[in-house]
Amino acid sequence: MLDRMRALNPDVPAEYLVQARAEIAAPKSQDALEENQRVHDILVHGFRGISYLDSAGQEQNPTIRLVADRVEDNEFLAVNQVTIRSRDIERRFDVVLYLNGMPVGVMELKKPGGRAADVAAAHAQLATYVREFPLAFQFCVLSILSDGRTARYGTPFTPLEHCAPWNVDGDGRPVRYGEVLDDEHTGTEIEYLIEGVLNVERFLQLRRNFVAFDSTGDGLVKRIAKPHQYFAVTKAVGCTVEAVEGEGKAGVVWHTQGSGKSMEMELYTHLVAKHPRLKNPTVVVVTDRTELDGQLFQSFDRSLLLPEKPIQITSRADLRAALADRTTGGIYFTTLQKFGLSPEEKRSGIDHPLLTDRSNVIIVVDEAHRSHYDDLDGYARHLRDALPNATLIAFTGTPISFEDRNTRKTFGEYIDKYDLTRAVDDGATVRVLFEPRLPQMRVAESVSDADIDRAADEAAAGLDDDERARIEKSVTVLNRLYGAPERLQAVATDIVAHWANRSEQMRAFIGGPGKAMIVCATRDICADLYEQIIDLRPDWHSDNLSEGTIKVVYSSSPKDAGLLAKHRYRGAEKKQIQTRLKDPGDCLQLVIVQNMLLTGYDSPPLHTLYLDRPIKGALLMQTLARVNRRFRGKQDGLVVAYAPVADNLEQALKEYTATDREQRPVGQNLDEVIALTRQLIESLDALCAGYPWRSKLGAGDQRHWMKAVYGTVEHLRAPGTPGNQVAKGEPTLADRYRTLANQLARAWAVSSGSENLAELRPIARFYEEVRCWMAKYDAEQRRAEGGTVPAETQRLLETLFEQSTASGEIVDIYAAAGLPKPSLSELTPEFEEQAREADNPHLAIEALRTLLTEEVRHTTRNNLTRQRAFSEKIRELMNKYTNQQLTSAEVIAALIELAREARAERDRGQHFSPPLDEDELAFYDAVHENESAVEQMGDDVLGKIARDLVQVMRRDIKTDWTVRDDVRAKLRSSIKRLLIKYKYPPDKQPEAIRVVMEQMEAMAPRLAQEQRDAA
């Protein structure tokens, strides 16, 4: 690192570069994300913390660069198997990527084919590293996860569901995995990801311009662009440069809702602001709704990427003053209506006044549709009158209507498209399923379909003082059709029952009930439906804004009376409800709305939408997209439609891509999922046919139920079960069960509300219980093997625990095996006999392994040699059992013997005179590994070496010697002299020195801390 700093900063004296490096690396916080943001800012902008007097006596305060702008002036290095250590922990990173000596990337790679070795496990492992070694990630720009088949990238702080593939070619076009390109490219995910993300030119671009931090009330958030965002933004910037120098029409970016359009607008604003050919432009972000304006402004206001803080325009006068007075720069947010004329200007028939004729003004319009703007031609004219030389660009989440030619005429052609299907395939969003549940609704003969459509359109436009009479008439139509008391009662009853089941099914995937939105036709219906629901569930109601399970949010007026006035909230109070709806830990679960929150509002835990209003076109698609956000293990959003919108959905999809119309990632009918559910249960029945679990249910009580579950788990996991001895890389019987049961759980989460599946409910519940217990044993195995438990598995286990606690059953792997939970002092011959005769011997083996692993970790926590020895013995035993080289009785006996040996580990040092303490014993084991040394020197001499090694270490541990080459060299020399003094076999000394140094590195942080505490 210092060498590159010298090369990049030749005018700065070397001693000040050494000082700068020390200050950059010195942590200002123990929080990994805070440190990462601090160092990221230095990597991008340089370091300005050093000042000195030059030879002429002038004070210098240079900006010290760590990274060069030109690729060829930087040094890139990938290093595998990088070991880091702390007081009690040693970890080995698979690959670390260095830029100019700084660790800017981490790759966590899992062995292909392993059951516990997938991308989720790699992500969990990386999260463990961040938790254990927060300061190791100061410089880290991004992380890469792969199991050989799947590959994802993100940052070390990115949730798994938001890690992305790089599945495009060099031009941003989607690729097809598995297509062999040439002798060196087999078309795997990891190949495309490495060539995309680790292309050195692109990596530097990502680091500088496509990594963003947000400052939120809950702390920092780090984000990195996904491939569709990277290419859309770079194309948009290029089109903008051409448009500024041409006709002022940059074009339209169509990226489907939920795919990160707000971040694209943020990255775009950042890049155009610094582009030299754009001359420090003024950026004006325009929306058509105050609510949307506020939400988008907040997302920009949180960003630490932008060159200056955005300003939200509050009035027409503020807008005119801001744009007229500004000559460069500025990021402004305004609604489209503020470009309108004042009443006086309308009456006099004059044009909109000129605000500026500068060409370095960029108008960024969000959701540029005629259906949204009503009078796009008029506003486009006002924009041109006010800013005649400005450049316009539009970002939209829904495609431009075939009939909306004026949008393209105003903004230009498409810059980039990212449709619904790609977003779901990439994991940017989840698919949205459609379940029609139509209550009977009688329509008066005097009301036509056209009247209903017109009423819906007019209500959706919101109340307008100039047209109040006509709008109120339309609202009356909707109230009569959708708000009939008996109909609302039926809808309320169905929602309460459906949500009870749906929210419970989602717990295993997202760790809680999640959230739902209920969309009604009018404000009156919203208020009436609330009363119907709390009549059924009075415990859901609360007058306190920060409490209660259900709330109502709509635009209100001081003139509101009766039930309408009950839900009249100020702006800040509405924001509080919106915040609660985003918080997965808040007790608020359902919100009833009419128009608010249907566009631009993101609540990732929101997974169910109850739609009870006529709606069509772009607004329909935007509304459905409220439930398509990724969140933890959420795989699907569900729309329960009480209003007849199926035909409108078909019509809206006609304007999407051919792939979207064919795949239907939004609007797939639930009947298809119900059919899949039946098929999966049939497949699981066939898979479990070797164990008669139905006959074990007996009287159907909880005890017999759990006995059948435990027996099925034993059958699926036991090595001797047919189907569990397979060729390497092939799925075992247990693997196939996991796959099918996971698919069933996800299908059941959206289909279980259907009456068509009522007879399958007990069977689905049984297979889900088995899935939970399989996950519990998988988690125990991961821990025993030193791995980490993925977040999704952890959520499943928490659900199992909650259910078991509620039912009075204790989640205990020993009880499942038919054993009492022992301590190591209770491993008597009687216990061994009991284990061999257990109802589920394989589960007994897994329980014993867990007990033994926990004890070994405790007794050998500071002794690498013994830790590795015990772990290897356990691994070897389990491998022999899995391969059926040992019977269950033999492996139980061997595990119990190992457990006794582990218990005796505590007292091993007492056999020496004088006794060896824990640290001395660790070094004794390190030099004892060599058999010839043991034969020649004996235990007493090796014990003396161990005591002296501890003294050497305590003497030299005055600083973090693991990063001081001089101290390491001194220690190595001291160890060598000590071995020579005691005549340790010369040919074995290098290996002994290596093992002793490893042990010292593992022990050093603890001893150093003890010395600091003593001082």
Side-chain angles (χ1 to χ4, degrees), residues 248-260:
K249 301 174 185 178
V252 178
V253 176
W254 165 30
H255 280 204
T256 192
Q257 300 102 326
S259 62

Side-chain angles (χ1 to χ4, degrees), residues 300-316:
F300 272 57
D301 194 44
R302 291 191 298 265
S303 174
L304 301 180
L305 175 69
L306 300 173
E308 56 185 297
K309 295 294 284 184
I311 297 171
Q312 190 172 26
I313 299 295
T314 57
S315 68
R316 183 188 298 114

Side-chain angles (χ1 to χ4, degrees), residues 274-338:
K274 60 187 287 188
H275 199 291
R277 290 170 63 181
L278 298 179
K279 302 174 184 177
N280 191 15
T282 299
V283 177
V284 183
V285 181
V286 179
T287 62
D288 70 325
R289 288 185 174 187
T290 301
E291 179 188 6
L292 199 57
D293 178 62
Q295 291 164 0
L296 195 55
F297 170 77
Q298 288 171 13
S299 69
F300 272 57
D301 194 44
R302 291 191 298 265
S303 174
L304 301 180
L305 175 69
L306 300 173
E308 56 185 297
K309 295 294 284 184
I311 297 171
Q312 190 172 26
I313 299 295
T314 57
S315 68
R316 183 188 298 114
D318 286 344
L319 175 67
R320 294 183 178 185
L323 295 180
D325 296 342
R326 193 94 188 212
T327 56
T328 60
I331 303 170
Y332 295 100
F333 278 76
T334 180
T335 55
L336 188 68
Q337 290 76 9
K338 291 185 179 70

Side-chain angles (χ1 to χ4, degrees), residues 690-703:
Y691 182 77
W693 64 265
R694 285 178 172 84
S695 67
K696 305 290 184 182
L697 295 177
D701 58 22
Q702 184 68 16
R703 186 173 66 85

Side-chain angles (χ1 to χ4, degrees), residues 18 96 156 215 289 297 324 338 417-418 448 452-453 480 494 519 530 592 723 760 781 796-797 849 857 880 883 898:
V18 172
V96 177
S215 178
R289 288 185 174 187
F297 170 77
K338 291 185 179 70
K417 296 180 183 179
Y418 188 68
S448 67
I452 296 173
D453 284 345
R480 190 164 73 247
D494 193 70
V519 184
Y530 180 87
I592 304 175
L760 295 180
Q781 182 175 337
L796 187 61
L797 298 183
R849 179 191 57 197
R857 284 180 181 157
K880 286 184 176 179
N883 295 328
L898 257 184

